[in-house]
Amino acid sequence: MRIFIIVGHKATTEPSFSLEDIPGTSGRLDILCRSVTSAFVLSHGIRKDVLAYLVLLGGENPKTIQLVGESLRHLNPDERSTAALLKKALAVEAAPGWSMSTPGIFVRSGGLPRLLEDLRQRSVRLIYLKEDGKDFRCLRDELLGEEMAFVLGDHSGMTAEEETLLASAGAEVVALGPTSLHADHCIVVTNWLLDSKAFMSGCL
Ligand SMILES: C[S@@+](CC[C@H](N)C(=O)[O-])C[C@H]1O[C@@H](n2cnc3c(N)ncnc32)[C@H](O)[C@@H]1O
């Protein structure tokens, strides 16, 4: 299972944003929509072995949306229809437990600390993707057989407090090179590397 966690620091927790102006009315939920597309959408298919968590911090109380590739339905490649699915999820009352919105999409209250604690209990290995981390290829020999969660920031990166939280949760800091990329592009590259037989066998 591949897990992607994307933190939206200004991303709305309310369904009242406009689908006609997603970036301007939702606290940059467009970044998270594109990340969802990169995590799941294949040419004519959905990756079943992916889980994604969108941590939405732009409201009074944080919410987390979970997308489960195995049961995900109605996800199309365009940003607008993904935003519409997230809008539906935000209209569901968020309680401490997961509530389903549409097939494969769940919402609950709580943010990053709670999510990291869940992953710790499941013994998931945490990888914080950051430009100045160690080279991604250092992970290669250790990748097989591990459940890994890749954590990414939005346009503002991650805060110092979040980095401290990630470090205390045991996250390794890993880079896809020194150039700062968009979060959704990092997800495409990560999926590509993990798909690549050449990478996994050490030829890349
Ligand atoms: C647009 S970047 C954030 C840039 C932001 N200006 C900053 O200073 O952190 C969004 C996220 O993508 C990930 N990212 C971007 N480039 C990366 C790279 N070369 N290697 C690993 N992760 C990267 C990081 O998680 C980052 O928080």
Side-chain angles (χ1 to χ4, degrees), residues 128-131 151-158 174-183 186:
Y128 167 32
L129 289 177
K130 193 180 180 198
E131 294 85 328
V151 185
L152 301 106
D154 57 7
H155 58 299
S156 59
M158 297 289 271
V174 171
L176 295 162
T179 306
S180 191
L181 306 170
H182 288 290
C186 291

PDB file of all heavy atoms in Angstrom, residues 128-131 151-158 174-183 186, ligand 1:
ATOM      1  N   TYR A 128       8.968  11.963   4.968  1.00  0.00           N
ATOM      2  CA  TYR A 128       8.612  13.365   4.736  1.00  0.00           C
ATOM      3  C   TYR A 128       9.372  13.832   3.500  1.00  0.00           C
ATOM      4  O   TYR A 128      10.599  13.886   3.503  1.00  0.00           O
ATOM      5  CB  TYR A 128       8.966  14.191   5.978  1.00  0.00           C
ATOM      6  CG  TYR A 128       8.943  15.694   5.807  1.00  0.00           C
ATOM      7  CD1 TYR A 128       8.059  16.320   4.934  1.00  0.00           C
ATOM      8  CD2 TYR A 128       9.803  16.498   6.562  1.00  0.00           C
ATOM      9  CE1 TYR A 128       8.041  17.698   4.786  1.00  0.00           C
ATOM     10  CE2 TYR A 128       9.798  17.877   6.426  1.00  0.00           C
ATOM     11  CZ  TYR A 128       8.911  18.469   5.533  1.00  0.00           C
ATOM     12  OH  TYR A 128       8.905  19.843   5.385  1.00  0.00           O
ATOM     13  N   LEU A 129       8.651  14.114   2.433  1.00  0.00           N
ATOM     14  CA  LEU A 129       9.297  14.560   1.190  1.00  0.00           C
ATOM     15  C   LEU A 129       9.657  16.038   1.310  1.00  0.00           C
ATOM     16  O   LEU A 129       8.792  16.883   1.548  1.00  0.00           O
ATOM     17  CB  LEU A 129       8.375  14.325   0.000  1.00  0.00           C
ATOM     18  CG  LEU A 129       8.179  12.855  -0.399  1.00  0.00           C
ATOM     19  CD1 LEU A 129       7.178  12.731  -1.551  1.00  0.00           C
ATOM     20  CD2 LEU A 129       9.502  12.199  -0.790  1.00  0.00           C
ATOM     21  N   LYS A 130      10.944  16.313   1.149  1.00  0.00           N
ATOM     22  CA  LYS A 130      11.429  17.691   1.270  1.00  0.00           C
ATOM     23  C   LYS A 130      12.697  17.849   0.437  1.00  0.00           C
ATOM     24  O   LYS A 130      13.522  16.923   0.369  1.00  0.00           O
ATOM     25  CB  LYS A 130      11.723  18.008   2.746  1.00  0.00           C
ATOM     26  CG  LYS A 130      11.914  19.473   2.978  1.00  0.00           C
ATOM     27  CD  LYS A 130      12.214  19.814   4.414  1.00  0.00           C
ATOM     28  CE  LYS A 130      12.383  21.336   4.502  1.00  0.00           C
ATOM     29  NZ  LYS A 130      13.072  21.734   5.717  1.00  0.00           N
ATOM     30  N   GLU A 131      12.817  19.028  -0.154  1.00  0.00           N
ATOM     31  CA  GLU A 131      13.901  19.275  -1.100  1.00  0.00           C
ATOM     32  C   GLU A 131      15.290  18.964  -0.552  1.00  0.00           C
ATOM     33  O   GLU A 131      16.169  18.532  -1.297  1.00  0.00           O
ATOM     34  CB  GLU A 131      13.864  20.744  -1.563  1.00  0.00           C
ATOM     35  CG  GLU A 131      12.644  21.136  -2.381  1.00  0.00           C
ATOM     36  CD  GLU A 131      11.432  21.536  -1.533  1.00  0.00           C
ATOM     37  OE1 GLU A 131      11.253  20.990  -0.419  1.00  0.00           O
ATOM     38  OE2 GLU A 131      10.645  22.375  -1.993  1.00  0.00           O
ATOM     39  N   VAL A 151       4.681  12.154   3.150  1.00  0.00           N
ATOM     40  CA  VAL A 151       4.034  13.379   3.639  1.00  0.00           C
ATOM     41  C   VAL A 151       4.519  14.573   2.823  1.00  0.00           C
ATOM     42  O   VAL A 151       5.728  14.748   2.638  1.00  0.00           O
ATOM     43  CB  VAL A 151       4.366  13.611   5.136  1.00  0.00           C
ATOM     44  CG1 VAL A 151       3.606  14.817   5.682  1.00  0.00           C
ATOM     45  CG2 VAL A 151       4.079  12.368   5.955  1.00  0.00           C
ATOM     46  N   LEU A 152       3.568  15.380   2.356  1.00  0.00           N
ATOM     47  CA  LEU A 152       3.919  16.549   1.540  1.00  0.00           C
ATOM     48  C   LEU A 152       3.194  17.791   2.039  1.00  0.00           C
ATOM     49  O   LEU A 152       2.056  17.701   2.522  1.00  0.00           O
ATOM     50  CB  LEU A 152       3.497  16.335   0.082  1.00  0.00           C
ATOM     51  CG  LEU A 152       4.091  15.136  -0.622  1.00  0.00           C
ATOM     52  CD1 LEU A 152       3.053  14.036  -0.790  1.00  0.00           C
ATOM     53  CD2 LEU A 152       4.628  15.534  -1.979  1.00  0.00           C
ATOM     54  N   GLY A 153       3.856  18.932   1.857  1.00  0.00           N
ATOM     55  CA  GLY A 153       3.218  20.204   2.173  1.00  0.00           C
ATOM     56  C   GLY A 153       2.489  20.764   0.964  1.00  0.00           C
ATOM     57  O   GLY A 153       2.528  20.192  -0.126  1.00  0.00           O
ATOM     58  N   ASP A 154       1.832  21.901   1.164  1.00  0.00           N
ATOM     59  CA  ASP A 154       1.176  22.604   0.047  1.00  0.00           C
ATOM     60  C   ASP A 154       2.114  23.693  -0.466  1.00  0.00           C
ATOM     61  O   ASP A 154       3.330  23.594  -0.300  1.00  0.00           O
ATOM     62  CB  ASP A 154      -0.191  23.161   0.496  1.00  0.00           C
ATOM     63  CG  ASP A 154      -0.066  24.102   1.697  1.00  0.00           C
ATOM     64  OD1 ASP A 154       1.074  24.421   2.099  1.00  0.00           O
ATOM     65  OD2 ASP A 154      -1.104  24.514   2.227  1.00  0.00           O
ATOM     66  N   HIS A 155       1.552  24.756  -1.041  1.00  0.00           N
ATOM     67  CA  HIS A 155       2.389  25.820  -1.608  1.00  0.00           C
ATOM     68  C   HIS A 155       3.272  26.489  -0.557  1.00  0.00           C
ATOM     69  O   HIS A 155       4.284  27.095  -0.893  1.00  0.00           O
ATOM     70  CB  HIS A 155       1.508  26.869  -2.298  1.00  0.00           C
ATOM     71  CG  HIS A 155       0.491  27.485  -1.383  1.00  0.00           C
ATOM     72  ND1 HIS A 155      -0.484  26.749  -0.751  1.00  0.00           N
ATOM     73  CD2 HIS A 155       0.324  28.759  -0.981  1.00  0.00           C
ATOM     74  CE1 HIS A 155      -1.224  27.546  -0.009  1.00  0.00           C
ATOM     75  NE2 HIS A 155      -0.748  28.769  -0.120  1.00  0.00           N
ATOM     76  N   SER A 156       2.886  26.394   0.729  1.00  0.00           N
ATOM     77  CA  SER A 156       3.705  27.031   1.768  1.00  0.00           C
ATOM     78  C   SER A 156       4.619  26.032   2.471  1.00  0.00           C
ATOM     79  O   SER A 156       5.243  26.368   3.482  1.00  0.00           O
ATOM     80  CB  SER A 156       2.801  27.744   2.780  1.00  0.00           C
ATOM     81  OG  SER A 156       1.911  26.822   3.368  1.00  0.00           O
ATOM     82  N   GLY A 157       4.717  24.826   1.953  1.00  0.00           N
ATOM     83  CA  GLY A 157       5.591  23.832   2.580  1.00  0.00           C
ATOM     84  C   GLY A 157       4.999  23.317   3.879  1.00  0.00           C
ATOM     85  O   GLY A 157       3.782  23.153   3.985  1.00  0.00           O
ATOM     86  N   MET A 158       5.831  23.047   4.880  1.00  0.00           N
ATOM     87  CA  MET A 158       5.358  22.586   6.192  1.00  0.00           C
ATOM     88  C   MET A 158       5.871  23.573   7.243  1.00  0.00           C
ATOM     89  O   MET A 158       6.941  24.164   7.080  1.00  0.00           O
ATOM     90  CB  MET A 158       5.930  21.188   6.504  1.00  0.00           C
ATOM     91  CG  MET A 158       5.483  20.109   5.540  1.00  0.00           C
ATOM     92  SD  MET A 158       3.748  19.660   5.701  1.00  0.00           S
ATOM     93  CE  MET A 158       3.833  18.390   6.925  1.00  0.00           C
ATOM     94  N   VAL A 174      13.287  12.882   2.928  1.00  0.00           N
ATOM     95  CA  VAL A 174      13.773  12.325   1.663  1.00  0.00           C
ATOM     96  C   VAL A 174      13.449  13.295   0.520  1.00  0.00           C
ATOM     97  O   VAL A 174      12.362  13.880   0.481  1.00  0.00           O
ATOM     98  CB  VAL A 174      13.101  10.944   1.419  1.00  0.00           C
ATOM     99  CG1 VAL A 174      13.394  10.425   0.025  1.00  0.00           C
ATOM    100  CG2 VAL A 174      13.572   9.949   2.474  1.00  0.00           C
ATOM    101  N   ALA A 175      14.403  13.462  -0.409  1.00  0.00           N
ATOM    102  CA  ALA A 175      14.255  14.421  -1.507  1.00  0.00           C
ATOM    103  C   ALA A 175      14.135  13.738  -2.860  1.00  0.00           C
ATOM    104  O   ALA A 175      14.758  12.704  -3.105  1.00  0.00           O
ATOM    105  CB  ALA A 175      15.454  15.360  -1.531  1.00  0.00           C
ATOM    106  N   LEU A 176      13.358  14.384  -3.719  1.00  0.00           N
ATOM    107  CA  LEU A 176      13.299  13.979  -5.133  1.00  0.00           C
ATOM    108  C   LEU A 176      14.178  14.943  -5.926  1.00  0.00           C
ATOM    109  O   LEU A 176      13.781  15.441  -6.973  1.00  0.00           O
ATOM    110  CB  LEU A 176      11.850  14.051  -5.624  1.00  0.00           C
ATOM    111  CG  LEU A 176      10.887  13.068  -4.954  1.00  0.00           C
ATOM    112  CD1 LEU A 176       9.437  13.497  -5.155  1.00  0.00           C
ATOM    113  CD2 LEU A 176      11.093  11.664  -5.502  1.00  0.00           C
ATOM    114  N   GLY A 177      15.328  15.234  -5.392  1.00  0.00           N
ATOM    115  CA  GLY A 177      16.226  16.210  -6.008  1.00  0.00           C
ATOM    116  C   GLY A 177      16.106  17.544  -5.303  1.00  0.00           C
ATOM    117  O   GLY A 177      15.186  17.754  -4.515  1.00  0.00           O
ATOM    118  N   PRO A 178      17.038  18.470  -5.593  1.00  0.00           N
ATOM    119  CA  PRO A 178      17.084  19.758  -4.895  1.00  0.00           C
ATOM    120  C   PRO A 178      16.099  20.804  -5.417  1.00  0.00           C
ATOM    121  O   PRO A 178      15.858  21.814  -4.775  1.00  0.00           O
ATOM    122  CB  PRO A 178      18.525  20.222  -5.143  1.00  0.00           C
ATOM    123  CG  PRO A 178      18.908  19.584  -6.433  1.00  0.00           C
ATOM    124  CD  PRO A 178      18.154  18.289  -6.523  1.00  0.00           C
ATOM    125  N   THR A 179      15.499  20.556  -6.581  1.00  0.00           N
ATOM    126  CA  THR A 179      14.593  21.549  -7.174  1.00  0.00           C
ATOM    127  C   THR A 179      13.221  21.443  -6.521  1.00  0.00           C
ATOM    128  O   THR A 179      12.691  20.340  -6.363  1.00  0.00           O
ATOM    129  CB  THR A 179      14.458  21.290  -8.691  1.00  0.00           C
ATOM    130  OG1 THR A 179      15.762  21.267  -9.256  1.00  0.00           O
ATOM    131  CG2 THR A 179      13.613  22.352  -9.366  1.00  0.00           C
ATOM    132  N   SER A 180      12.662  22.594  -6.139  1.00  0.00           N
ATOM    133  CA  SER A 180      11.347  22.585  -5.509  1.00  0.00           C
ATOM    134  C   SER A 180      10.262  22.329  -6.563  1.00  0.00           C
ATOM    135  O   SER A 180      10.134  23.075  -7.528  1.00  0.00           O
ATOM    136  CB  SER A 180      11.101  23.921  -4.803  1.00  0.00           C
ATOM    137  OG  SER A 180       9.954  23.815  -4.007  1.00  0.00           O
ATOM    138  N   LEU A 181       9.520  21.250  -6.357  1.00  0.00           N
ATOM    139  CA  LEU A 181       8.468  20.832  -7.298  1.00  0.00           C
ATOM    140  C   LEU A 181       7.104  21.072  -6.669  1.00  0.00           C
ATOM    141  O   LEU A 181       6.992  21.256  -5.457  1.00  0.00           O
ATOM    142  CB  LEU A 181       8.614  19.332  -7.597  1.00  0.00           C
ATOM    143  CG  LEU A 181       9.980  18.856  -8.091  1.00  0.00           C
ATOM    144  CD1 LEU A 181      10.027  17.331  -8.107  1.00  0.00           C
ATOM    145  CD2 LEU A 181      10.270  19.413  -9.478  1.00  0.00           C
ATOM    146  N   HIS A 182       6.074  21.016  -7.491  1.00  0.00           N
ATOM    147  CA  HIS A 182       4.717  21.066  -6.939  1.00  0.00           C
ATOM    148  C   HIS A 182       4.420  19.725  -6.264  1.00  0.00           C
ATOM    149  O   HIS A 182       4.907  18.668  -6.706  1.00  0.00           O
ATOM    150  CB  HIS A 182       3.702  21.320  -8.051  1.00  0.00           C
ATOM    151  CG  HIS A 182       3.748  22.717  -8.570  1.00  0.00           C
ATOM    152  ND1 HIS A 182       3.327  23.794  -7.833  1.00  0.00           N
ATOM    153  CD2 HIS A 182       4.181  23.223  -9.747  1.00  0.00           C
ATOM    154  CE1 HIS A 182       3.489  24.899  -8.525  1.00  0.00           C
ATOM    155  NE2 HIS A 182       4.019  24.584  -9.697  1.00  0.00           N
ATOM    156  N   ALA A 183       3.561  19.775  -5.233  1.00  0.00           N
ATOM    157  CA  ALA A 183       3.245  18.552  -4.486  1.00  0.00           C
ATOM    158  C   ALA A 183       2.702  17.459  -5.414  1.00  0.00           C
ATOM    159  O   ALA A 183       3.097  16.285  -5.308  1.00  0.00           O
ATOM    160  CB  ALA A 183       2.247  18.864  -3.382  1.00  0.00           C
ATOM    161  N   CYS A 186       5.411  15.818  -7.298  1.00  0.00           N
ATOM    162  CA  CYS A 186       6.184  14.899  -6.433  1.00  0.00           C
ATOM    163  C   CYS A 186       5.475  13.543  -6.343  1.00  0.00           C
ATOM    164  O   CYS A 186       6.126  12.487  -6.311  1.00  0.00           O
ATOM    165  CB  CYS A 186       6.319  15.473  -5.021  1.00  0.00           C
ATOM    166  SG  CYS A 186       7.356  16.918  -4.924  1.00  0.00           S
TER     167      CYS A 186
HETATM  168  C1  LIG B   1       5.466  23.572  -3.753  1.00  0.00           C
HETATM  169  S1  LIG B   1       6.364  22.616  -2.579  1.00  0.00           S
HETATM  170  C2  LIG B   1       6.512  23.780  -1.235  1.00  0.00           C
HETATM  171  C3  LIG B   1       7.471  24.831  -1.494  1.00  0.00           C
HETATM  172  C4  LIG B   1       7.484  25.848  -0.400  1.00  0.00           C
HETATM  173  N1  LIG B   1       7.768  27.090  -1.012  1.00  0.00           N
HETATM  174  C5  LIG B   1       8.528  25.538   0.644  1.00  0.00           C
HETATM  175  O1  LIG B   1       9.385  26.370   0.807  1.00  0.00           O
HETATM  176  O2  LIG B   1       8.465  24.513   1.310  1.00  0.00           O
HETATM  177  C6  LIG B   1       5.158  21.516  -1.949  1.00  0.00           C
HETATM  178  C7  LIG B   1       5.684  20.306  -1.268  1.00  0.00           C
HETATM  179  O3  LIG B   1       6.225  19.416  -2.228  1.00  0.00           O
HETATM  180  C8  LIG B   1       7.278  18.665  -1.643  1.00  0.00           C
HETATM  181  N2  LIG B   1       8.456  18.872  -2.477  1.00  0.00           N
HETATM  182  C9  LIG B   1       8.667  19.838  -3.390  1.00  0.00           C
HETATM  183  N3  LIG B   1       9.832  19.661  -4.026  1.00  0.00           N
HETATM  184  C10 LIG B   1      10.378  18.526  -3.513  1.00  0.00           C
HETATM  185  C11 LIG B   1      11.576  17.799  -3.765  1.00  0.00           C
HETATM  186  N4  LIG B   1      12.465  18.204  -4.671  1.00  0.00           N
HETATM  187  N5  LIG B   1      11.810  16.668  -3.057  1.00  0.00           N
HETATM  188  C12 LIG B   1      10.916  16.236  -2.148  1.00  0.00           C
HETATM  189  N6  LIG B   1       9.765  16.885  -1.867  1.00  0.00           N
HETATM  190  C13 LIG B   1       9.500  18.009  -2.532  1.00  0.00           C
HETATM  191  C14 LIG B   1       7.436  19.154  -0.214  1.00  0.00           C
HETATM  192  O4  LIG B   1       6.725  18.281   0.641  1.00  0.00           O
HETATM  193  C15 LIG B   1       6.793  20.521  -0.261  1.00  0.00           C
HETATM  194  O5  LIG B   1       6.296  20.913   0.988  1.00  0.00           O
END
